[in-house]
Amino acid sequence: MSSKPPLRLERDEPPPRLSDRAIDNLRFIRETMESAGTFTALSGKGIVGSGIIALFAYSVAGHELNSPRWILSWITAAVLAFVQSAIATWRKARATDTAVSAALARKLALAFFPSLVAGAVFTAVALRAGWFVALPGVWLIMYGAAVMAGGALSTPIIPVMGASFMAMGALALAAPVALATAWSEASRAELLSALMALGFGGLHLGFGLLISRRFGG
């Protein structure tokens, strides 16, 4: 009587451990929540448009910081730039089928607008007190703070753009003091107008083109 080797069954793959499943589920939930809480449809073309509007404002505003033409030119440019950028972003969101939930819109508004409101309040005080030389620096630095805060809910390049505006604003605030004895008042005003053009014009154009190329418009 021949003896047959015992039948050996192949060992099944061990079932995944419960802890591994839990980690996978948590990772999926976290990625889903991060995706839902991030706005990626900011329009680079809209940012480029803001830069073009700023350069046009620089060309018509002149360099007298206390003149109604200078103040109204830049305030009008800010309103136009915001409106056209919002429209461009809305169109990009529709074209890319990017959903913007009410919760995300509320987070964006709470992150972006407080710094702008603070800047508007300081502008009113500065106009009343005659601190015209402080306006370029305040506008640049408060706008940069708004972009940085809002950018925390968007792609990483947006906070970098905000930080660049804040650096330009710090320079515009420091320059009049540092050059008070070496430069005339007219020369300092020309420098501040140029920093406005370099910031609101140049930075918008540069970052807008970069965002448009990397993130599809």
Side-chain angles (χ1 to χ4, degrees):
M1 182 176 179
S2 63
S3 63
K4 296 183 178 179
L7 182 61
R8 301 183 59 182
L9 298 176
E10 293 185 1
R11 301 180 60 179
D12 294 331
E13 291 292 330
R17 293 182 300 178
L18 185 59
S19 60
D20 293 339
R21 288 185 177 179
I23 291 173
D24 289 341
N25 290 338
L26 288 174
R27 183 182 298 113
F28 173 77
I29 292 172
R30 185 184 62 188
E31 291 175 353
T32 302
M33 292 181 66
E34 289 178 351
S35 176
T38 303
F39 183 68
T40 57
L42 188 64
S43 172
K45 294 179 181 177
I47 296 175
V48 169
S50 297
I52 293 173
I53 291 173
L55 292 179
F56 180 76
Y58 171 73
S59 68
V60 302
H63 305 307
E64 297 181 14
L65 305 186
N66 59 349
S67 69
R69 185 178 72 169
W70 189 89
I71 296 169
L72 290 177
S73 294
W74 283 107
I75 290 178
T76 302
V79 173
L80 292 177
F82 177 80
V83 171
Q84 68 84 29
S85 185
I87 293 173
T89 296
W90 176 72
R91 288 178 174 172
K92 180 178 177 180
R94 288 194 62 183
T96 58
D97 198 23
T98 301
V100 182
S101 65
L104 178 56
R106 184 173 63 254
K107 288 180 181 178
L108 285 169
L110 290 175
F112 185 72
F113 286 109
S115 295
L116 296 185
V117 172
V121 172
F122 186 89
T123 297
V125 174
L127 292 176
R128 179 72 175 175
W131 300 336
F132 303 104
V133 73
L135 289 177
V138 169
W139 288 349
L140 285 164
I141 208 165
M142 298 307 288
Y143 177 72
V147 171
M148 275 198 77
L153 302 170
S154 187
T155 51
I157 193 174
I158 304 300
V160 175
M161 183 175 74
S164 301
F165 271 98
M166 293 188 72
M168 190 72 70
L171 180 61
L173 286 173
V177 179
L179 302 174
T181 57
W183 288 30
S184 66
E185 183 177 349
S187 297
R188 295 197 301 272
E190 290 182 9
L191 173 63
L192 292 176
S193 291
L195 289 176
M196 288 279 288
L198 187 60
F200 289 114
L203 288 179
H204 272 144
L205 284 175
F207 279 98
L209 290 172
L210 192 60
I211 292 169
S212 182
R213 290 186 59 182
R214 287 192 175 183
F215 301 100

